[in-house]
Amino acid sequence: MNMNTNGAAPMLDLQDVAMHFKSRGRGFHTTTVRALDGVSLTLDRGETIAIVGESGCGKTTLGRVSLRLLEPTAGRVLFDNVDITQVKESNLKGFRRRAQGIFQDPFTSLDPYMTIRQIVEEPLIIHGVGSASERLERVQWALDEVRMRPAADFLDRFPHLLSGGQRQRVGIARALTLTPEYILADEPVSMIDASSRAEILALLSELQERYRIGYLYITHDIATARHFAPTAAVMYLGRVVEQGPTVDLINNPLHPYTQGLLNAVPEPDPANRLAERPVLPGEAPSPANVPSGCRFHPRCPVFMEGLCDVVEPPLVQVEPDRTVECHLYGAEGKERVGRDTGKSVSGDAEIV
Ligand code: SF4
């Protein structure tokens, strides 16, 4: 059983989670789409972990599995030590109160025919919370918490009368109204204007401090992860390939994919823009056609023939709080390149 630093079970514990779909190809041919392929991570109350990767890497599927909006085909999803994949939907009400989601598109995730009051009140009605007047009080409290003030002015408005940033605040108020312990924040700022992004992330941080909410923050943008999530996990084609403190991942990325992702971030300093920074070549292969060995090998600039295309890379613990899944850091790869890969990859890096 995984333990957190206090020796207790973590709030959310994803263990070797896989999500494979059968997909019908041409004629009668079916293929297996490996959206998730053995992902493990833990999240505690009051903690934020960013899940970073290109579109199609499995990050949104992982988020949906964590809320049991999708049932994984293998692995366990423990919430306070209870495997929610084994609980009947009819018995999940307690979990559904404690775990909520904020989704990417504030323009489609709110019902345009419902008022703001109805949208924010709906989870309370579903969970049978309070009388009508208590629920109204709760809705006003939630709107006030997300700084839609005075709350009474927003109750009878419809979503189309709000800006993108205000709509996302309504989405947060809706998630907050049941005072959850866990929130999946799936690209919560990617579709709102740049000026509102920092405000929304600051608001989520404030709410976390006040209510000890744990966030799984799904993003394609490693730059926003730096300011919001102390820990990040980088996903590629259904697997976590590197995990550790976000600042370390950004300042000293170890996995060639993480390096490529960072090189693709626009550089505001013209001097650095001129420097040679290899970006990721090509596109990620389809999860219906996962390459052999290391799944990143067709795009990897330092790919080792006969090893990377044949043998799956080991998961290597390079620091107590940092792991990477790449042959460059395993014994076989080090021997092959005939050199150590640098200070952060010590000779006693442990294969886990
Ligand atoms: Fe590149 Fe090989 Fe590492 Fe994969 S295992 S990222 S192909 S060096």
Side-chain angles (χ1 to χ4, degrees), residues 55-252:
S55 92
C57 71
K59 57 190 189 304
T60 289
T61 304
L62 182 70
R64 287 180 183 261
V65 164
S66 77
L67 284 182
R68 225 194 88 171
L69 300 176
L70 288 173
E71 290 194 26
T73 46
R76 307 201 315 152
V77 180
L78 304 183
F79 191 83
D80 269 353
N81 245 342
V82 173
D83 186 353
I84 57 162
T85 64
Q86 301 300 314
V87 179
K88 275 198 214 152
E89 182 60 48
S90 53
N91 293 334
L92 272 179
K93 249 190 162 179
F95 169 72
R96 301 240 175 267
R97 268 186 84 148
R98 299 169 66 191
Q100 293 285 311
I102 302 166
F103 298 99
Q104 178 175 16
D105 187 350
F107 297 91
T108 57
S109 59
L110 305 181
D111 187 330
Y113 298 105
M114 290 170 82
T115 63
I116 304 309
R117 174 183 175 168
Q118 289 169 327
I119 290 168
V120 180
E121 189 181 14
E122 194 179 35
L124 298 170
I125 294 173
I126 291 170
H127 287 275
V129 176
S131 62
S133 62
E134 285 165 339
R135 287 198 301 269
L136 175 58
E137 212 173 287
R138 190 80 186 156
V139 168
Q140 289 184 303
W141 166 82
L143 290 173
D144 191 68
E145 285 292 289
V146 299
R147 300 219 198 87
M148 297 194 69
R149 297 169 179 158
D153 284 2
F154 291 95
L155 292 175
D156 297 322
R157 292 200 203 170
F158 286 90
H160 71 272
L161 296 170
L162 305 180
S163 68
Q166 286 176 322
R167 287 183 211 205
Q168 199 52 295
R169 285 173 195 267
V170 173
I172 297 169
R174 183 187 154 92
L176 191 65
T177 190
L178 291 166
T179 45
E181 291 147 77
Y182 165 53
I183 290 182
L184 164 69
D186 187 355
E187 301 265 19
V189 295
S190 64
M191 292 192 71
I192 57 181
D193 59 278
S195 60
S196 302
R197 275 180 211 158
E199 286 175 18
I200 294 287
L201 292 179
L203 172 66
L204 289 172
S205 295
E206 270 174 43
L207 294 172
Q208 176 175 62
E209 229 165 84
R210 221 170 294 149
Y211 302 109
R212 276 193 81 223
I213 301 165
Y215 293 123
L216 202 61
Y217 174 59
I218 309 280
T219 181
H220 65 279
D221 179 3
I222 201 163
T224 63
R226 178 204 287 260
H227 301 293
F228 183 60
T231 305
V234 177
M235 281 191 74
Y236 186 75
L237 219 52
R239 284 196 65 86
V240 172
V241 295
E242 183 166 1
Q243 185 173 353
T246 311
V247 72
D248 294 349
L249 252 68
I250 289 174
N251 292 339
N252 179 26

Side-chain angles (χ1 to χ4, degrees), residues 255-256 294 296-297 300 302-304 308 313 326-328:
H255 196 284
C294 168
F296 184 59
H297 85 257
C300 181
V302 289
F303 145 73
M304 293 174 276
C308 297
C326 171
H327 282 302
L328 288 174

